[in-house]
Amino acid sequence: MYSAAFLLSHNALSAEPAAAANADVARALDEAELRKAIADAERAEMLARLPPASAKALPGAVDTRQFGAAGLVRAFDLARALAGEVCAALPLDARTAVYDPATSAGIVAARGVDDAIMRLADDLARRNKEIQAYIDAHTPPGAVGGTLAVALTVVPGVLRAAADTASLFKTDVTASSIAYGEGARALFVSAMAEACPQRIAGLGGGYLGELDAAQHARLLGKLRSLATHRADYANRIALLQKLADAAKGDEKRDMAAVAGAAGAVLKAVDAFIESLRAGESGDRSPLANAARYLGYAQRTEGAPVLDFDLRLEGMSIVKDNLFTGQKLRLSAIALLWYRVHAPDGSLRLARTVRRMARPLEVDLRGDAVGDGFWESP
């Protein structure tokens, strides 16, 4: 009896520490879960205030929109450096003309106008002699047939020549550039003219010497000569028509045919003279354009021709970093090919060049680069 009571008392005493230990463990777990919840809440609050992180990108976001034009400064410097290289490669025995498709087309058209004026003037001078001989002979049977045949068969050729000449300046030729904009070609050509002006005969586009009065005066003199022949021809046609009115029978019919053919030639010449628009200026006047391009052709005659194509791009990279702030890096790339031809088209030189400017970092807060960048020489 005594032994059983002792055993129950001993078990009760040993159970008390175990229950206390279990309570401590439960309390520790509760505290740990509370600390974890608090930490998660604090972390969530911090993340909500910070920009979202990305595992794919390097620190800092890349953006070129804010400073897109700044890279063109590096492209400008790169173009000037390349112009010096091209100048060094140009032939030493003659000055070089820069090839421009529109200018070349204008020179060809101007030569066509000049040739047409001279050709029509010579043709009218010859016709004046023939029609005068026809009038003086008073239509003898042998003279009528020969002169009439010439007068009638030459008309289509004159009409075609006038029509072809009037359409010479309708050709649409443009020169394009890439990436830098329409000014890339003009920039590079001007840089070459700056680097070696004594070795450049002509720049192709832009001002071609239209203010030079000498070439325009020469072309106007040829046109006045044509107009004089035209006036003489018109007077002889009027005289022939009077003779035809007074004639009878076959003679009257033959004279009327010769006068009609001569009148067709006169209309073709009038249409040609009208198409030149000698009284106007600028692009509306083929005569003024012809004088402009003929003058340029005369100054560049016999010069080697430089043909080139240039891709010029500027690159601006802005790096925005949460802790270090904003940084700007500038670079540029140029892809250039060029060829030098003799005037007859034979190749004298061909080269391909690529250049990439070393990236330059600009501190937006101050003096990361020297004055040489901000004020280009």
Side-chain angles (χ1 to χ4, degrees):
M1 188 71 179
Y2 176 80
S3 298
F6 178 79
L7 181 61
L8 291 173
S9 175
H10 177 74
N11 290 339
L13 291 173
S14 62
E16 290 179 0
N22 290 336
D24 291 340
V25 170
R27 187 166 51 254
L29 290 175
D30 291 340
E31 291 176 356
E33 290 179 358
L34 180 61
R35 286 195 300 271
K36 181 178 182 300
I38 293 173
D40 289 341
E42 291 176 348
R43 180 174 180 274
E45 182 181 3
M46 181 179 292
L47 290 177
R49 295 179 180 178
L50 294 175
S54 175
K56 297 181 180 179
L58 295 173
V62 179
D63 183 10
T64 63
R65 291 171 297 179
Q66 299 179 42
F67 297 90
L72 296 182
V73 176
R74 294 292 280 163
F76 179 92
D77 295 339
L78 191 57
R80 294 185 64 191
L82 281 174
E85 293 186 26
V86 174
C87 278
L90 293 179
L92 297 175
D93 55 346
R95 301 177 72 187
T96 301
V98 178
Y99 173 72
D100 178 71
T103 304
S104 297
I107 290 174
V108 173
R111 288 171 177 167
V113 170
D114 186 48
D115 178 71
I117 293 174
M118 296 179 63
R119 188 174 66 250
L120 288 180
D122 292 342
D123 185 64
L124 277 184
R126 177 181 56 81
R127 286 174 175 277
N128 273 315
K129 294 179 180 179
E130 290 175 350
I131 198 170
Q132 186 61 50
Y134 181 79
I135 293 172
D136 292 342
H138 297 291
T139 66
V144 173
T147 306
L148 179 61
V150 172
L152 292 177
T153 55
V154 177
V155 174
V158 176
L159 290 172
R160 184 170 57 254
D164 291 344
T165 304
S167 65
L168 282 174
F169 284 92
K170 295 181 181 178
T171 304
D172 184 14
V173 181
T174 59
S176 61
S177 56
I178 304 173
Y180 192 91
E182 291 301 322
R185 183 179 180 88
L187 164 64
F188 188 70
V189 170
S190 296
M192 282 195 298
E194 179 185 10
C196 54
Q198 72 282 358
R199 298 172 69 177
I200 302 294
L203 302 182
Y207 176 69
L208 299 180
E210 51 265 34
L211 297 180
D212 182 7
Q215 191 61 240
H216 195 252
R218 282 192 290 269
L219 207 56
L220 281 176
K222 295 177 181 180
L223 184 60
R224 280 193 294 269
S225 176
L226 173 61
T228 299
H229 290 303
R230 183 261 176 213
D232 293 341
Y233 198 58
N235 290 334
R236 288 182 171 87
I237 292 174
L239 180 58
L240 183 59
Q241 287 174 340
K242 289 182 179 179
L243 291 174
D245 292 340
K248 295 180 180 180
D250 293 340
E251 184 181 39
K252 181 181 183 70
R253 185 170 55 254
D254 291 342
M255 283 187 175
V258 173
V265 172
L266 189 66
K267 289 181 180 179
V269 173
D270 288 343
F272 171 73
I273 294 175
E274 178 65 24
S275 70
L276 294 179
R277 299 183 181 181
E280 299 181 14
S281 61
D283 294 338
R284 296 176 300 176
S285 171
L287 188 74
N289 272 329
R292 176 190 188 203
Y293 287 112
L294 287 174
Y296 181 77
Q298 186 177 29
R299 292 191 301 275
T300 58
E301 184 177 2
V305 179
L306 171 67
D307 185 15
F308 75 93
D309 196 4
L310 172 66
R311 175 170 182 147
L312 187 63
E313 294 186 11
M315 183 169 58
S316 305
I317 301 176
V318 179
K319 287 193 173 183
D320 291 306
N321 190 281
L322 180 65
F323 299 104
T324 60
Q326 195 175 63
K327 293 183 179 180
L328 174 64
R329 289 189 177 96
L330 305 178
S331 181
I333 186 170
L335 305 176
L336 170 69
W337 62 256
Y338 63 94
R339 301 174 296 197
V340 178
H341 297 268
D344 62 1
S346 58
L347 183 65
R348 298 184 58 174
L349 172 69
R351 289 183 182 174
T352 57
V353 183
R354 75 164 180 86
R355 293 285 186 275
M356 187 166 185
R358 187 181 299 276
L360 176 69
E361 184 170 301
V362 179
D363 191 342
L364 297 178
R365 299 168 298 179
D367 303 320
V369 294
D371 292 338
F373 172 76
W374 300 109
E375 298 178 4
S376 178

